[in-house]
Amino acid sequence: QVHLVESGGGLVQAGGSLRLSCAASGRTFSTYAMGWFRQAPGKEREFAAAISWSGGSTYVADSVKGRFTISRDNAKNTAYLQMNSLQPEDTAVYYCAAKSGGWTSREYAYDYWGQGTQVTVSS
């Protein structure tokens, strides 16, 4: 079992930045690929970014490419999502997720999920 807890969400003005954290406990964090997903009001949850267990490979959705960066610190059992140049359309609940094996953008492949953290971007 892996228990994930997101933090770092909040209210920010358009053009601002936030860094989300995902703290993991339980089984060995460094063996899991990590993903960030988001769900805007009235919309389905969508993929934002993923990172391999080592941190050597990352993938960012086209919708946030150039603005969002995913990273991880296996020594701290934590994954991060740095979000820059935030826009109102980035408003959503952001979730981190963990899976064994390689990273993927496919939501159904992830085994463990956090409770989510709200990000609200005002115009």
Side-chain angles (χ1 to χ4, degrees), residues 45-66:
R45 191 156 55 185
E46 66 174 5
F47 170 77
I51 189 167
S52 63
W53 63 270
S54 67
S57 296
T58 61
Y59 180 66
V60 180
D62 288 343
S63 58
V64 302
K65 193 167 293 183

Side-chain angles (χ1 to χ4, degrees), residues 9-16 18 20 37-46 48 63-64 67-68 81 83-95 117-123:
L11 174 64
V12 64
Q13 288 188 332
L18 284 174
L20 305 183
F37 294 78
R38 65 183 185 179
Q39 187 168 21
K43 295 186 177 181
E44 294 187 351
R45 191 156 55 185
E46 66 174 5
S63 58
V64 302
R67 301 188 299 120
F68 289 13
L81 186 67
M83 306 185 296
N84 299 328
S85 302
L86 283 162
Q87 299 302 315
E89 53 265 34
D90 295 316
T91 294
V93 177
Y94 284 72
Y95 300 88
T117 186
Q118 176 70 48
V119 171
T120 303
V121 185
S122 63
S123 57

Side-chain angles (χ1 to χ4, degrees), residues 4-118:
L4 303 174
V5 179
E6 302 96 335
S7 61
L11 174 64
V12 64
Q13 288 188 332
S17 298
L18 284 174
R19 188 177 80 156
L20 305 183
S21 298
C22 174
S25 60
R27 302 183 72 176
T28 307
F29 174 75
S30 62
T31 65
Y32 286 86
M34 299 297 295
W36 284 96
F37 294 78
R38 65 183 185 179
Q39 187 168 21
K43 295 186 177 181
E44 294 187 351
R45 191 156 55 185
E46 66 174 5
F47 170 77
I51 189 167
S52 63
W53 63 270
S54 67
S57 296
T58 61
Y59 180 66
V60 180
D62 288 343
S63 58
V64 302
K65 193 167 293 183
R67 301 188 299 120
F68 289 13
T69 303
I70 188 171
S71 62
R72 66 189 297 160
D73 185 339
N74 286 344
K76 296 183 178 180
N77 283 6
T78 302
Y80 304 97
L81 186 67
Q82 177 67 43
M83 306 185 296
N84 299 328
S85 302
L86 283 162
Q87 299 302 315
E89 53 265 34
D90 295 316
T91 294
V93 177
Y94 284 72
Y95 300 88
C96 69
K99 68 175 297 291
S100 57
W103 59 265
T104 180
S105 62
R106 296 180 174 87
E107 179 180 344
Y108 64 81
Y110 286 82
D111 303 305
Y112 304 102
W113 291 82
Q115 83 290 347
T117 186
Q118 176 70 48

